[in-house]
Amino acid sequence: MALVILDPNLEGEAGHHLAYDMAIAREAMARGEAVSIVANRRFTTAAIDGVRFLPHFSTSTYAELHPDPVTGAADDWRLLNDLLQSELALLPRSEFRPGDAVLVPTATENHLAGYIGWMKGFDPLEAPLFLLHLMFSSGVTVDAEGRQVVEEPLRALFYRLAERAALEAGPPVHLFASGGQHAAEFSALFGRPVPAHPLPICPQPGPDHPEPLRRALLFAGDARVDKGVALLPDLIPRLASEHPDWRLVAHVNGNSAWGEARAAVAALQALPEHWPALELAGGRLARDDYRALTRDVGIALFPYDPVLYRRKSSGVLWEAISLGTPVVVPAGTWLENEARYWGAGHVAYDGDSAEAIAAAFATALPRIGELSALSAEAGRRYRAANGAGALMDQIAGLWVRQKAAASLVARPATMAVDLARLDGGWHRMEQVEGRPARWATQEPVIAFDWPFDMPWQLDLTLLSFFGAEQLDRTEVRSGDQPIAVTWQREGRGARLTLRGPGPGRARPRIDLRLRLPFTYRPQNEARDLGVLVGDMQVGPAPGSGGANDATALPAMRVDGMAAAGGGWAVATGIGGELMAMPDRPCLVAFRLRCDPASPPPEVRVHLAGATAALPLSAEAGGCWLGTVTLPPALLRAGGERMRWNLQAEPVDGQAVTLLSAEVSVLAGTTRPAAAAGMALPSPAPEPPLTGPRLRWDLSEGVGPVEGPFAELGVPAGVRWIVARTAQLAVETNAAGPARLTLRYRCLLPRLGMRVTLDGGATSLVDIEGGGLRQAGEIELDVTLRGGMNEIALAFDGAVREPGTGRDLVLLIEQARFGT
């Protein structure tokens, strides 16, 4: 049994997400459960305190990809949910067992439907326990009389649509809200009770101080404009001059700050020289240092944006309440309501300015004793109701029932098929050398129940048969399901092995019809004899979740002799055969070992006439994992057995070894529109491609869409080139010359670029940089061929982005083709 935490927001060790997840993980491990956390791809730590981390997700819930004020929210909702579900489908099903629990600690409307769609794709009897925590506002509020008031119609609609999916047939999905306010809002929105979950972050206050603490916490966490970091350069001098007997404390992590927030961080760093009362901490703080900074304060200020935080929660506020610290919060927001809910001492201010916050602080100081007493009582109430232990108690109430139910469900196991009960195509039972056996006719029938999703394997022990040709040409049918047939000699007989996909519990019956190419009638025998079967055993197909199983479906085979140390040397290339079902999309995964481990080689995979670059992600031990999704159309084009080839271009002296090649059917489920009473629209014909176009989706070394950055004059829709070796994919249906114009911005004063088209001659381009406020243009004259073209770009410099580690090479503002 294990707890699996899914957290696309876990991008680094800064912020609340790691502390939040680890608090839950440590409590689960203390109760004897193993814990794995599937994090964002940016999170590079492999393990912490026995917790395994898998970097996987590409986008957090905070992402905003479409800035359009009319359609942007809907576009983000559709794209981010679809992207999340597709990434969840890539996770191996073997990681999620019926007795496990899967917890999503932070879900918003932009991920909720994706999670639920993936969860509903599990067989209800094979699914783990699914728990989703709704962290942010619902789009509705509840007035004083308990009535629902819709404030953000689109957000409320998105949540309602996802909740409908959660109630559909399939595994149950348990929804919880973060805090009483959100629980009341989601309950009103869904029309059913949505309980609150205990908060795992529950810091304990320090020892009592003989004198009142005269330290004020002004800020804690990442430098973000919505949290009011831009107000601090004006607020701190005001407070320091008006209250010289108070120490001012701020933790501002500016590693990932940008624009206005970055400017505020720079201004803050100059303040301690002029205002000695300021204690300013930067970067990421260790957990104990952060606790020490936030614990010994007499009051905490929250300069948060009152509009954005009207219904948005804050982990820092919960920490302050748990520590018994009075707070100054913006009026009419979730922060004020939450302080009031727990009975914490608080003062609210109107507006969004340093003046308003300073005035509220001055109002609070004469009442600091009263506010501190109220907050101390509120802290005791908060700590009694929250904490990782309380959260695990809530999960355990559901998990115990899940484990008990899972233990009662039949699991795949090897069992005998009774020869005496076979009907159709069999001669009577007889004794052969003291054991029961049965001769088959030319078309015997075998039937058995296999109520599981995993592939099955049926082994027939043949005591007698009539030559290798008879078994080589044996055919097996089972409706429209593909059945793999192999055999091998065993003594004087043979073992005939049949393998096929599991139908699941809804239709467990497997009916196999064998056709032998010929039979034999001995002298003085009235029967036509096919094969003599002494035993039948059916069980899970070996390797049904593993690699290089040449007969499981889907399956991959690697050609060539394996190396002495394991795996296959790639050298200039290696290939094999892929067997898959043509109507089910597949994920192919290649695991490579490189010596030296970095940099990773450039790898391309060729299959069914198509070529794709293989993106690689780092794993432990100098290994790299590359995955590619194969749509049904490509599988149909390649046939039941298609050739694949892998080519790698390592750096000089680097040895590349293919450790494994695996293929698995993608998880998840789709519902036909007709099932919901909707008419299926006729697909619109695709317009013909009339000229070259840049395919960002197939390009490599290019980041996601960003912007706008108004303070720098950078428009929306820009992309960073984030690798010193990048590749642009250009598609056209007409060969000929073309001119590609790239409008760019560059952080370096001068940058060299080498351009190679389709592996041909290389040209050199010198790029003049003027910073992010000045744009320039590069014109590349290329001769394109019909179809897909590859423009390789190699740069001699980059700027490492603080906080993320990305290489910022060139900011592409616009790309257009001309002649």
Side-chain angles (χ1 to χ4, degrees):
M1 308 300 178
L3 173 66
V4 182
I5 297 175
L6 306 179
D7 193 351
N9 294 328
L10 182 55
E11 299 179 303
E13 297 189 10
H16 278 81
H17 288 287
L18 180 61
Y20 201 97
D21 295 346
M22 286 302 299
I24 302 171
R26 290 188 178 98
E27 180 64 27
M29 288 192 298
R31 300 185 183 204
E33 307 290 354
V35 180
S36 296
I37 299 178
V38 185
N40 195 284
R41 293 177 186 173
R42 293 174 179 262
F43 193 83
T44 57
T45 305
I48 299 176
D49 295 345
V51 178
R52 180 174 67 117
F53 290 85
L54 174 65
H56 180 74
F57 299 109
S58 63
T59 311
S60 77
T61 58
Y62 306 120
E64 293 182 3
L65 304 181
H66 297 88
D68 189 287
V70 178
T71 64
D75 290 338
D76 276 354
W77 173 72
R78 185 189 69 253
L79 174 62
L80 293 175
N81 276 293
D82 288 349
L83 176 61
L84 177 72
Q85 185 167 349
S86 67
E87 292 179 348
L88 286 167
L90 302 182
L91 295 172
R93 281 293 180 91
S94 58
E95 292 284 335
F96 306 96
R97 298 166 298 178
D100 293 344
V102 176
L103 170 65
V104 178
T106 306
T108 71
E109 76 279 10
N110 283 340
H111 275 177
L112 185 60
Y115 281 123
I116 292 173
W118 171 72
M119 293 170 177
K120 290 295 179 178
F122 282 76
D123 183 319
L125 296 178
E126 301 294 335
L129 173 68
F130 292 122
L131 308 121
L132 282 156
H133 288 177
L134 306 176
M135 177 68 75
F136 292 85
S137 58
S138 63
V140 305
T141 60
V142 178
D143 64 17
E145 298 180 5
R147 294 173 301 191
Q148 174 183 286
V149 180
V150 179
E151 291 192 337
E152 299 175 275
L154 269 183
R155 176 170 290 177
L157 172 65
F158 297 153
Y159 273 118
R160 180 77 67 81
L161 292 176
E163 192 263 348
R164 286 181 178 178
L167 297 178
E168 291 179 358
V173 176
H174 302 277
L175 300 178
F176 298 89
S178 296
Q181 290 184 73
H182 288 161
E185 293 169 3
F186 280 108
S187 297
L189 176 62
F190 296 158
R192 63 184 179 95
V194 177
H197 67 81
L199 284 308
I201 300 298
C202 197
Q204 298 292 322
D208 292 336
H209 294 270
E211 299 293 332
L213 293 170
R214 292 188 173 272
R215 299 176 73 245
L217 179 66
L218 308 184
F219 196 92
D222 293 340
R224 287 169 27 199
V225 174
D226 61 334
K227 292 178 63 175
V229 71
L231 298 178
L232 295 184
D234 185 24
L235 176 62
I236 289 172
R238 289 175 179 270
L239 298 181
S241 60
E242 295 173 4
H243 309 282
D245 55 337
W246 277 79
R247 299 284 296 174
L248 307 178
V249 182
H251 166 235
V252 182
N253 179 14
N255 290 343
S256 58
W258 190 264
E260 186 179 1
R262 167 64 69 180
V265 171
L268 286 172
Q269 291 172 346
L271 290 181
E273 181 180 353
H274 303 286
W275 303 100
L278 174 62
E279 299 177 16
L280 182 63
R284 174 186 171 271
L285 292 182
R287 183 175 59 169
D288 292 343
D289 293 337
Y290 178 82
R291 286 282 174 261
L293 181 140
T294 57
R295 179 181 291 120
D296 295 328
V297 295
I299 193 169
L301 278 62
F302 289 82
Y304 292 7
D305 187 311
V307 176
L308 296 178
Y309 273 86
R310 187 167 184 271
R311 294 297 172 196
K312 188 175 179 181
S313 60
S314 166
V316 180
L317 181 77
W318 278 323
E319 290 176 346
I321 294 173
S322 181
L323 293 170
T325 304
V327 293
V328 174
V329 292
T333 63
W334 176 94
L335 299 102
E336 181 189 21
N337 294 336
E338 194 70 5
R340 183 184 296 114
Y341 175 83
W342 292 104
H346 67 282
V347 172
Y349 61 89
D350 291 310
D352 185 23
S353 65
E355 294 88 346
I357 300 170
F361 181 71
T363 301
L365 293 189
R367 303 174 50 208
I368 196 66
E370 170 198 349
L371 297 176
S372 297
L374 291 173
S375 292
E377 288 296 325
R380 283 188 280 271
R381 285 190 293 271
Y382 178 92
R383 295 191 299 274
N386 293 286
L391 176 58
M392 285 305 302
D393 286 343
Q394 184 184 66
I395 294 174
L398 297 169
W399 202 354
V400 167
R401 294 197 294 271
Q402 174 80 11
K403 292 178 180 179
S407 68
L408 300 176
V409 177
R411 302 295 170 202
T414 300
M415 57 186 178
V417 178
D418 190 350
L419 295 178
R421 294 180 177 271
L422 296 177
D423 295 323
W426 294 90
H427 296 295
R428 66 183 183 275
M429 292 288 294
E430 56 187 282
Q431 292 288 321
V432 178
E433 297 179 354
R435 61 185 296 183
R438 199 168 184 180
W439 278 100
T441 65
Q442 189 168 7
E443 295 189 3
V445 175
I446 305 172
F448 58 88
D449 287 331
W450 187 256
F452 310 110
D453 287 326
M454 72 165 47
W456 51 265
Q457 173 175 304
L458 178 66
D459 289 319
L460 287 75
T461 301
L462 306 184
L463 303 181
S464 182
F465 64 102
F466 301 107
E469 183 182 3
Q470 186 190 37
L471 300 186
D472 286 338
R473 294 168 52 195
T474 295
E475 298 176 356
V476 183
R477 300 190 310 276
S478 178
D480 58 353
Q481 294 295 327
I483 305 298
V485 184
T486 60
W487 70 278
Q488 62 183 17
R489 291 188 180 274
E490 288 189 351
R492 292 179 299 171
R495 180 177 298 275
L496 180 65
T497 299
L498 314 179
R499 295 186 186 179
R505 301 180 190 274
R507 293 177 296 175
R509 195 68 172 172
I510 302 290
D511 289 299
L512 302 177
R513 296 184 178 273
L514 285 70
R515 181 175 178 80
L516 305 177
F518 55 83
T519 58
Y520 179 69
R521 178 178 292 186
Q523 290 183 354
N524 304 321
E525 175 65 66
R527 298 177 298 173
D528 291 319
L529 304 180
V531 293
L532 181 61
V533 180
D535 184 58
M536 286 189 194
Q537 298 282 335
V538 64
S544 57
N548 301 328
D549 188 349
T551 56
L553 294 170
M556 290 191 76
R557 179 174 58 81
V558 182
D559 292 340
M561 186 70 67
W568 297 264
V570 175
T572 57
I574 194 168
E577 195 173 56
L578 168 67
M579 291 150 281
M581 292 170 280
D583 60 341
R584 297 290 301 276
C586 290
L587 171 75
V588 178
F590 298 96
R591 182 167 278 103
L592 303 169
R593 182 177 62 233
C594 299
D595 185 20
S598 60
E602 296 181 7
V603 182
R604 305 190 67 76
V605 60
H606 306 267
L607 192 144
T611 302
L614 192 68
L616 299 178
S617 59
E619 292 195 324
C623 296
W624 297 86
L625 177 65
T627 59
V628 61
T629 302
L630 308 181
L634 183 63
L635 298 174
R636 287 192 291 269
E640 292 183 2
R641 293 173 178 265
M642 68 185 80
R643 295 292 305 175
W644 61 266
N645 289 281
L646 199 68
Q647 292 182 332
E649 297 183 11
V651 297
D652 292 340
Q654 186 182 49
V656 181
T657 303
L658 175 64
L659 297 179
S660 65
E662 305 178 12
V663 58
S664 59
V665 176
L666 289 184
T669 182
T670 58
R671 293 196 309 147
M678 300 167 55
L680 291 172
S682 300
E686 294 186 4
L689 185 64
T690 57
R693 63 172 177 172
L694 190 57
R695 291 289 303 272
W696 291 113
D697 56 325
L698 299 180
S699 299
E700 301 175 28
V702 181
V705 174
E706 300 182 39
F709 304 113
E711 68 277 7
L712 299 172
V714 176
V718 299
R719 297 174 184 266
W720 277 106
I721 293 180
V722 292
R724 296 195 183 192
T725 56
Q727 186 169 276
L728 304 181
V730 178
E731 185 180 21
T732 183
N733 59 2
R739 173 170 292 175
L740 173 60
T741 301
L742 299 176
R743 184 174 177 83
Y744 71 90
R745 306 193 185 206
C746 183
L747 293 170
L748 297 172
R750 181 176 293 274
L751 181 64
M753 178 176 71
R754 297 187 301 279
V755 183
T756 306
L757 175 63
D758 291 326
T762 298
S763 58
L764 302 178
V765 178
D766 287 329
I767 300 174
E768 298 289 339
L772 294 182
R773 298 183 181 275
Q774 179 177 335
E777 289 191 348
I778 307 168
E779 292 184 346
L780 303 178
D781 292 316
V782 293
T783 301
L784 303 175
R785 62 188 182 190
M788 195 65 67
N789 297 261
E790 299 171 355
I791 301 178
L793 307 178
F795 301 90
D796 59 11
V799 174
R800 183 61 58 90
E801 182 179 23
T804 67
R806 292 195 306 174
D807 284 333
L808 303 182
V809 182
L810 207 63
L811 185 68
I812 303 299
E813 183 176 314
Q814 185 187 59
R816 63 182 186 273
F817 279 95
T819 55

